[in-house]
Amino acid sequence: MGVRMSMPLVSIIAPVKDEEEAIAPFVARVGQVLDGLRNPDGSVVGWEILFIDDGSTDRTMAAILVAHDADPRIGALSLSRNFGKEAALSAGIDNARGAVVIPIDVDMQDPPEVIGAMIDKWRDGYEVVYGVRRNRMTDSLPKRLTADLYYRAHNWLSMDKIPEHAGDFRLLDRKVVEVIRRMPERNRFMKGLFAWSGFRQTAVEYDRAERAVGTTKFNYWKLWQLAIDGITSASTAPLRVWSYLGAIIAVVALVYAVFIGLRTIIYGADVAGYPSLMVAILFLGGVQLLSLGILGEYVGRILVETKHRPIYIIRQRVGCDDADQRDAG
Ligand code: UDP
Ligand code: MG
């Protein structure tokens, strides 16, 4: 594999925001799964768990330190504030040392038992093995519908298709990790970055469980923001559609102008037409504001990219040394 002996084969990266009760059960269950893994020659598999504390305000870090004291293969990066899950995942990907890297949520919605099947596929030669939720019955109906709608819109607008019902739970080969690490953008819509990177990809199915402890950290507003981040980073179609719409409206307007002109010449001028005038003004006003707003979404993102600020800032490292690791950005 070209990976040094001291390096773990499997790196689990888990972003955590206010998950103090989830750490211990997560470590117990994932640790058990990882200890059960075997190399083809029958030897045990080296592993590490890297938590990324995304600006937790509860005792999440204390819980991680307890786990680290019990098992030094468990480490953490503590970010200087809440940077969001996508940035936290970037921090994990930048600092994981394994030949394969597996992002997973800490709330046990994604069953770690699937990791064995993912590694089998990886040994078969796949570089990305993403988990696909067989059913999303544990998500509420509105969440399922909006997620569905989003995947459709994204894949319709974008060249790189993201697999439907796949979350961030997936296995990434070191080659893919290095590609993601080299991506300079601040907008870290990870599912889009994974899709863009290509490679041989395959799926394993699993049933998504209810959240074991704690509450969801995503409300609909945050999901909406994530959706816009995803589409604007993957596609410029929303920017370009306005020139076509404008051209169509211009042609229609020209035809209508000719019609009005002829009618005026033949029948003379009348002052009717207030409703059609209002409709045209309001409709075009709305279309113009909408297109301006979409332009604004892209311009705002260009501004963020040009500032070249780091994607995240690490305040503290626990059990993962700095050597030859990129710090931020
Ligand atoms: N998370 C994070 N930063 C945030 C929000 C969430 O690191 O700003 C983590 C969270 O602790 C969890 C994972 O991202 O491990 C998924 O969050 P959650 O389970 O709340 O999302 P859902 O499953 O409801 O979509
Ligand atoms: Mg969850």
Side-chain angles (χ1 to χ4, degrees):
M1 276 321 300
V3 177
R4 271 179 284 147
M5 285 312 286
S6 61
M7 294 297 182
L9 179 77
V10 180
S11 292
I12 302 291
I13 56 174
V16 285
K17 164 82 171 55
D18 295 339
E19 306 275 10
E20 56 182 349
E21 327 95 307
I23 301 291
F26 176 86
V27 167
R29 187 160 153 206
V30 174
Q32 194 182 17
V33 169
L34 295 172
D35 282 336
L37 296 175
R38 290 292 174 273
N39 290 311
D41 64 5
S43 59
V44 294
V45 166
W47 55 264
E48 65 174 358
I49 296 177
L50 182 57
F51 288 106
I52 305 94
D53 166 35
D54 186 17
S56 296
T57 52
D58 64 356
R59 297 186 45 78
T60 297
M61 260 327 260
I64 295 172
L65 286 171
V66 169
H68 170 71
D69 288 340
D71 189 336
R73 291 174 294 184
I74 296 161
L77 306 168
S78 185
L79 304 187
S80 64
R81 63 170 170 83
N82 179 245
F83 281 85
K85 184 182 174 188
E86 309 296 309
L89 278 176
S90 299
I93 284 178
D94 289 347
N95 291 279
R97 296 170 302 156
V100 304
V101 176
I102 303 180
I104 184 170
D105 289 354
V106 81
D107 57 11
M108 298 278 97
Q109 286 195 279
D110 308 319
E113 289 70 25
V114 177
I115 290 171
M118 287 179 163
I119 291 177
D120 288 345
K121 295 262 189 192
W122 172 71
R123 292 200 207 277
D124 288 345
Y126 290 100
E127 284 120 351
V128 177
V129 187
Y130 50 86
V132 173
R133 302 157 200 179
R134 198 176 290 131
N135 67 61
R136 293 190 63 146
M137 286 309 159
T138 52
D139 287 334
S140 66
L141 185 68
K143 181 150 181 187
R144 266 178 300 166
L145 288 180
T146 47
D148 229 49
L149 203 69
Y150 174 70
Y151 284 116
R152 260 171 225 197
H154 185 109
N155 287 341
W156 183 60
L157 290 168
S158 163
M159 296 292 288
D160 355 294
K161 312 294 175 205
I162 52 178
E164 284 183 41
H165 309 302
D168 292 313
F169 180 38
R170 61 185 66 208
L171 176 150
L172 305 166
D173 182 84
R174 176 58 45 194
K175 291 196 246 358
V176 183
V177 169
E178 292 306 322
V179 169
I180 306 275
R181 284 184 62 172
R182 282 205 309 273
M183 292 188 178
E185 57 247 70
R186 319 289 107 179
N187 179 352
R188 310 297 289 186
F189 181 70
M190 296 311 265
K191 286 194 261 270
L193 301 190
F194 296 147
W196 182 88
S197 65
F199 290 100
R200 269 164 298 184
Q201 308 212 355
T202 188
V204 291
E205 289 199 327
Y206 68 95
D207 292 309
R208 194 153 207 248
E210 300 273 2
R211 204 180 216 285
V213 287
T215 53
T216 179
K217 307 295 179 292
F218 286 90
N219 54 33
Y220 281 101
W221 179 245
K222 267 184 149 182
L223 288 172
W224 169 246
Q225 297 291 330
L226 189 65
I228 299 182
D229 276 348
I231 289 186
T232 52
S233 72
S235 167
T236 54
L239 277 177
R240 298 191 319 262
V241 66
W242 304 106
S243 26
Y244 297 102
L245 193 66
I248 293 170
I249 291 177
V251 169
V252 171
L254 192 71
V255 172
Y256 190 52
V258 170
F259 167 73
I260 291 178
L262 290 176
R263 199 180 59 176
T264 310
I265 290 166
I266 299 168
Y267 298 108
D270 55 30
V271 281
Y274 173 76
S276 55
L277 207 60
M278 275 318 273
V279 166
I281 289 172
L282 292 177
F283 173 71
L284 284 180
V287 167
Q288 280 167 357
L289 285 180
L290 182 66
S291 60
L292 263 181
I294 290 178
L295 206 64
E297 291 289 340
Y298 280 87
V299 173
R301 280 168 175 76
I302 296 172
L303 177 67
V304 170
E305 297 292 337
T306 55
K307 287 199 224 170
H308 287 293
R309 294 202 181 155
I311 298 163
Y312 53 83
I313 296 164
I314 296 173
R315 179 182 47 208
Q316 185 195 356
R317 289 169 183 272
V318 177
C320 47
D321 62 86
D322 236 327
D324 72 28
Q325 296 296 339
R326 183 168 70 159
D327 213 6

